[in-house]
Amino acid sequence: MMYQRRRNTDFIDSITSHRSVRKFTDEKIPSEDLEKILSATRTSSSSSHGQAYSIVNVSSPEKRELLVDLVGNQPHVAISSHFFVFCADLHRINALGKREGIDMKTSMETTEMFIVATVDAALAAQNTAIAAEALGYGIVYTGGIRNNIEKVSNLLHLPELTYPVFGMCIGVPIEEEVADVKPRLPFEAIYFDDEYPTFEKVENYLNEYDLEMKEHYENRLTGKRLNKTWSQVMIDKRKEPRRLDIKDYLKKQGFPLL
């Protein structure tokens, strides 16, 4: 039987209209919608079908309030309907190996398995985000979960061979507070045929993008308006090393990255 391609342009429109939401109503996501979202999460791609991730749904108001400060004073962590922490998780497969009397330690400590688990968590999170937005909810990723990574890990009782990759707020947006869609890098700066080009070959596209983003920063609907280009913002944000405690934390969690 010939495979019948399914086309859903509305779904593509949903993906391409993504924007981060940081202002939510106090409305809770109904259980039937949450089940649909998590069904999409569970069907995400994973390396060798290992599904090397776990999600901690932080439902305790007390823990949510603690996390607001731990992630960098982000009040939406407490306000959103749900706050998920996506974790890279090799603990489960390691425990299964122990049950069978098989020493998995050296394999679990490799950089390759660390990448596998991190990517699995990211793929599961993106499925979650896409499903939530398709149902009309708003989301925002929370990389600030790594600002105080060990304290977050202790708060959530994360076992060895796991770590929190990022959080995600999901909820009902306050419409007038929804940000506009940010312009993205042009295809010519991110999509290449056969080989990676020299920087000089993409520099003009980046310069054009800088002008587009400068206009966006100056006129955006929400957030602080800036008189800067994208390049300037990125350099300002990345020029100083951040979160230098993570390497030692990962070693404690059983990720020496062999």
Side-chain angles (χ1 to χ4, degrees):
M1 181 182 295
M2 183 178 293
Y3 178 74
Q4 298 295 315
R5 288 186 300 164
R6 292 174 295 173
R7 299 178 66 87
N8 188 341
T9 55
D10 289 342
F11 185 64
I12 299 296
D13 290 342
S14 174
I15 295 172
T16 55
S17 62
H18 163 75
R19 74 276 318 268
S20 294
V21 173
R22 293 179 174 85
K23 297 288 183 70
F24 299 94
T25 72
D26 57 4
E27 183 180 345
K28 293 297 182 183
I29 297 174
S31 58
E32 58 268 26
D33 280 356
L34 187 61
E35 288 175 9
K36 291 176 182 176
I37 292 168
L38 293 175
S39 291
T41 306
R42 291 175 61 236
T43 56
S44 60
S45 299
S46 70
S47 178
S48 301
H49 199 50
Q51 302 159 86
Y53 71 91
S54 291
I55 304 167
V56 178
N57 171 33
V58 185
S59 56
S60 161
E62 292 78 17
K63 287 189 176 183
R64 290 264 208 120
E65 288 296 338
L66 289 171
L67 284 169
V68 167
D69 292 329
L70 290 176
V71 305
N73 190 28
Q74 298 189 41
H76 43 279
V77 167
I79 296 167
S80 59
S81 173
H82 287 72
F83 183 67
F84 292 162
V85 179
F86 287 84
C87 303
D89 186 350
L90 299 176
H91 175 77
R92 183 164 47 239
I93 187 66
N94 189 58
L96 290 171
K98 285 182 179 180
R99 189 183 70 182
E100 301 301 318
I102 299 171
D103 186 0
M104 309 275 285
K105 185 174 186 294
T106 302
S107 175
M108 295 299 102
E109 291 178 345
T110 61
T111 303
E112 166 62 10
M113 287 306 299
F114 173 81
I115 292 173
V116 162
T118 303
V119 171
D120 275 8
L123 292 172
Q126 190 62 3
N127 261 30
T128 306
I130 290 170
E133 290 180 334
L135 292 174
Y137 299 107
I139 74 101
V140 64
Y141 283 94
T142 311
I145 206 79
R146 301 188 302 279
N147 286 353
N148 293 282
I149 195 166
E150 190 159 8
K151 289 181 179 179
V152 169
S153 185
N154 291 336
L155 182 67
L156 304 181
H157 296 171
L158 298 186
E160 183 183 36
L161 291 171
T162 66
Y163 84 95
V165 184
F166 41 65
M168 182 189 291
C169 296
I170 310 176
V172 178
I174 297 176
E175 289 298 329
E176 59 269 25
E177 296 289 347
V178 174
D180 42 355
V181 177
K182 293 177 184 174
R184 261 39 179 199
L185 283 164
F187 284 110
E188 294 86 353
I190 61 169
Y191 179 79
F192 316 124
D193 281 325
D194 290 330
E195 62 185 20
Y196 199 105
T198 62
F199 176 75
E200 288 73 21
K201 288 184 178 180
V202 300
E203 188 172 11
N204 284 340
Y205 299 113
L206 296 176
N207 291 339
E208 291 172 5
Y209 181 65
D210 270 343
L211 295 176
E212 185 180 16
M213 280 301 298
K214 186 172 185 293
E215 183 178 358
H216 169 80
Y217 287 139
E218 289 174 341
N219 298 288
R220 60 185 175 182
L221 299 176
T222 62
K224 184 180 179 181
R225 293 185 175 182
L226 303 172
N227 183 27
K228 289 186 176 183
T229 66
W230 176 80
S231 296
Q232 290 169 329
V233 171
M234 290 302 104
I235 291 168
D236 286 348
K237 191 173 183 65
R238 303 301 185 193
K239 64 186 177 184
E240 297 294 336
R242 303 173 68 206
R243 301 167 181 161
L244 297 179
D245 58 323
I246 290 180
K247 186 176 181 179
D248 288 340
Y249 161 80
L250 289 175
K251 287 181 179 179
K252 290 180 184 178
Q253 287 296 103
F255 295 105
L257 307 187
L258 302 177

